[in-house]
Amino acid sequence: MCAKRYHELFPQRKRVDWKRKRVDRKRKPVDWKQRFCARAGTTPAVTMEATTALPQSAFRDRLAAVRRRIAEADVDAGVWFGARSIEYLTHFYHSQTERPVVLAVTDDRVAITVPKLEVIRVEENPHIDEVSHYFDYPGGDPMRTAVAMLDRLGVETVAADMDGAPGVMGYDGPPLSDAVAVQRQNWVDRMRWEKSDAEIAVMREATTWSHLAHQYLVDRMEPGVAQGTISQEASMEASRAMFDALGTRYVPRTGIYFEGPTHTGLHSAEQTAEPHPYPTNRTLEVGDTIVTAAEANVDGYLSEIERTMFVGDPDEEQRHYFDIMLESQTIAIETAGPGVTYSAVAQAVWDHMVEQGVEDRAFHHVGHGLGMGSHEPPYVDRGTEETMEPGHVFTVEPGIYVPGVGGFRHSDPVVVTDDGTELLNYWDRDLESNVVRV
C-alpha cells in the first residue's frame, strides 16, 4: 500500500459552487501510473472461462457445508424460508409469494414443502429427496404441512433463517417456533459472500450479455430519440440474441416471459442528478448527460454495468465532474484487494471527494455486493468493517449528483482474487469512449 493517502496524490482544486454551475478552474490531468503504487495482481489470469450454468457438484458441496454447520450447532436440521437461500442450496428457484416454500436439511435428507403448483418442477430436482405439498394459501395450511414434514424427519430442534415464512403478498401464518425449538442462523447469506470459480464463471457469461445489451442501447442513442423507447428496444433485441445463442443451454428463471434475461436503460439530462429517478420517455438532446445501466441473468447470477455518457462533446463543467467521478472510481478499484477492509476503500473515495469539494454531492455508498442479488452484502461503505476476501464480488460506483449539470456514475463489478482484483466489465471507462458523436 502506498505510504501517501490517496487524496494527497491528486492536484488541489478550488471548490465548485454547484448552485452557480461554474467551474473555478480546469482540472489537471492525472497520470495514474505515476500517482498510484504499483501493486502486483490487479489483473490476474482468469481461473475459469465463462459458462452458462453451475455444475451439479456446486449444490452437493453447499449442502455438505450446511450439514457441517448443522452438526456444529447441535440441532436436528437446518430450515430455510428465503427463496434465494433455497435456490442457492438446491437449484430450485421460485418467486417468493403468499405461498410459502420450506426447505429442511438433515444429516442425510433434503426435504421441501411447496404449494401443489410447484410439485412437478420440484420433483425433477436431483438434490431434493422428499416433497410435501399443500393445495394453496389461504385454503391450504402451509405451516402445518411443513411441521408434519419435520415430524417425519424426526426433527425437534432447528436452525432457521427466519422464524416462519415472510409476510409477502398477504401471507400471515404462525411462527415455526410454535412447533419446534428454533435458533436463528444466516449461514447461506454469509456463504454467498465468497463466490467459487464456477459462480464467477457464470457472472462472466452474464457480463457478456449485459455488454451486448448496453451496446445495442448506445447504438440507438442520438438526438431526437425517446429514451424509454430505445431502452425497451435494446433490451428486447439483446434478450432475443441471448435466447437464440444459448438455446437449450439457457437456464430458465421464474417470470422470464415477463422480464427477459437481460435489461438495459438510461436516464438523461437533469434526471441524472437524482441517483434513482423514475424512468421517462424523454427525447435526447445534444449536450445531455446520460447515465446508462445494463444487467443480465445467467443461472440466477447477475452482471451490472453503468456508464456516464454524453450526447455530443461535453462542456467544461461536465468534463470536470466526470473526471472527479472517474478518479474516485479508480481510487476504489486500486485500493481494493484481499485483506483490505471495505470501510478503507470507502474512506479513500470519501477523502478524495472532500479534497475536490464535492462531498455534498455524494448521496450513497461506493458499492455493494453482487451475485444472486442485484444488491447484497458486503457493502463498500465507511460503516462496513468486514475484510475483502478472495471470491468476494462487489460493484464500484461512487456517484456525484449536481443539479443543473447531471449525475456522474460508472458501475463496475470487482472480483477479489488471491493476490489482487479483477474487473469483470471491459467497456472502457474513459471520457472519450463514452461520448455519442453527433
Side-chain angles (χ1 to χ4, degrees):
M1 192 66 66
C2 294
K4 292 184 178 180
R5 291 161 60 101
Y6 278 100
H7 71 273
E8 295 173 345
L9 301 178
F10 294 92
Q12 294 283 340
R13 293 194 187 90
K14 295 179 181 178
R15 288 179 176 262
V16 175
D17 183 350
W18 58 267
K19 290 183 179 179
R20 293 172 60 190
K21 299 186 293 180
R22 176 176 60 85
V23 177
D24 288 318
R25 72 167 173 151
K26 188 176 181 180
R27 171 189 175 276
K28 293 180 180 179
V30 177
D31 185 340
W32 295 108
K33 290 184 180 179
Q34 294 298 320
R35 295 199 180 269
F36 283 116
C37 307
R39 179 151 63 93
T42 55
T43 53
V46 173
T47 55
M48 179 178 283
E49 296 298 330
T51 185
T52 58
L54 291 176
Q56 293 301 314
S57 60
F59 303 98
R60 293 193 292 270
D61 291 344
R62 293 168 179 178
L63 288 168
V66 297
R67 281 178 167 134
R68 289 192 292 271
R69 288 168 170 80
I70 290 167
E72 292 167 359
D74 193 26
V75 293
D76 298 327
V79 171
W80 288 267
F81 292 91
R84 282 211 178 99
S85 293
I86 293 170
E87 179 182 356
Y88 182 86
L89 291 174
T90 67
H91 210 209
F92 173 66
Y93 42 90
H94 68 286
S95 296
Q96 194 100 52
T97 70
E98 77 281 6
R99 303 173 175 114
V101 173
V102 188
L103 179 74
V105 179
T106 69
D107 59 353
D108 63 349
R109 300 286 288 174
V110 177
I112 197 167
T113 293
V114 297
K116 187 176 181 180
L117 59 84
E118 297 284 13
V119 168
I120 295 174
R121 285 201 312 118
V122 78
E123 285 183 337
E124 299 171 347
N125 189 296
H127 307 290
I128 297 174
D129 303 310
E130 177 183 324
V131 180
S132 301
H133 76 270
Y134 58 93
F135 183 73
D136 209 330
Y137 177 84
D141 195 334
M143 287 304 296
R144 184 169 65 181
T145 305
V147 169
M149 173 186 72
L150 295 176
D151 285 342
R152 287 193 301 275
L153 294 171
V155 170
E156 296 180 351
T157 60
V158 305
D161 62 342
M162 57 189 82
D163 189 12
V168 176
M169 297 185 181
Y171 175 78
D172 184 16
L176 182 62
S177 55
D178 281 358
V180 295
V182 176
Q183 59 177 267
R184 295 291 297 274
Q185 49 83 2
N186 63 346
W187 299 333
V188 168
D189 290 343
R190 189 59 183 81
M191 288 166 64
R192 285 170 53 191
W193 288 23
E194 287 88 24
K195 273 71 174 179
S196 66
D197 286 349
E199 288 174 286
I200 293 170
V202 294
M203 294 182 73
R204 199 182 307 283
E205 178 74 17
T207 297
T208 298
W209 296 108
S210 60
H211 277 59
L212 179 68
H214 194 260
Q215 183 64 61
Y216 285 162
L217 180 69
V218 173
D219 288 346
R220 288 168 164 79
M221 290 183 193
E222 61 181 1
V225 300
Q227 65 184 41
T229 300
I230 65 171
S231 297
Q232 290 298 311
E233 289 176 351
S235 297
M236 183 173 65
E237 184 177 3
S239 293
R240 178 174 178 176
M242 188 172 174
F243 282 136
D244 288 347
L246 297 184
T248 58
R249 291 182 299 158
Y250 180 76
V251 180
R253 280 292 174 275
T254 298
I256 203 66
Y257 297 115
F258 306 104
E259 299 172 4
T262 184
H263 307 88
T264 188
L266 64 95
H267 301 292
S268 63
E270 179 66 20
Q271 218 187 3
T272 63
E274 301 176 44
H276 285 168
Y278 291 113
T280 72
N281 206 25
R282 179 185 176 274
T283 298
L284 299 187
E285 300 176 5
V286 174
D288 281 350
T289 301
I290 290 174
V291 177
T292 65
E295 67 172 27
N297 184 321
V298 173
D299 202 7
Y301 286 79
L302 301 172
S303 58
E304 178 171 310
I305 177 173
E306 294 177 355
R307 286 293 179 265
T308 300
M309 305 186 74
F310 305 97
V311 180
D313 289 326
D315 61 25
E316 182 182 2
E317 194 167 23
Q318 289 170 315
R319 288 176 177 271
H320 175 80
Y321 288 113
F322 181 97
D323 289 339
I324 296 175
M325 176 275 293
L326 184 59
E327 291 168 4
S328 299
Q329 192 196 34
T330 303
I331 286 171
I333 293 168
E334 293 290 337
T335 306
V340 178
T341 62
Y342 283 90
S343 60
V345 174
Q347 187 64 53
V349 171
W350 183 256
D351 289 345
H352 183 61
M353 288 187 171
V354 170
E355 182 75 24
Q356 302 306 322
V358 297
E359 70 274 20
D360 289 344
R361 299 293 92 208
F363 296 160
H364 55 75
H365 49 213
V366 173
H368 53 80
L370 184 69
M372 296 177 74
S374 58
H375 278 234
E376 58 186 42
Y379 297 96
V380 190
D381 188 285
R382 286 177 291 160
T384 303
E385 291 304 321
E386 283 81 5
T387 299
M388 296 178 180
E389 303 293 343
H392 286 198
V393 182
F394 55 89
T395 66
V396 176
E397 48 181 306
I400 303 170
Y401 305 92
V402 187
V405 182
F408 302 83
R409 184 181 72 242
H410 286 348
S411 181
D412 290 286
V414 172
V415 180
V416 181
T417 66
D418 289 334
D419 55 2
T421 60
E422 177 192 354
L423 283 178
L424 284 179
N425 289 343
Y426 42 85
W427 191 285
D428 289 335
R429 297 187 298 125
D430 65 287
L431 189 148
E432 294 304 319
S433 298
N434 289 286
V435 174
V436 177
R437 298 299 173 187
V438 295

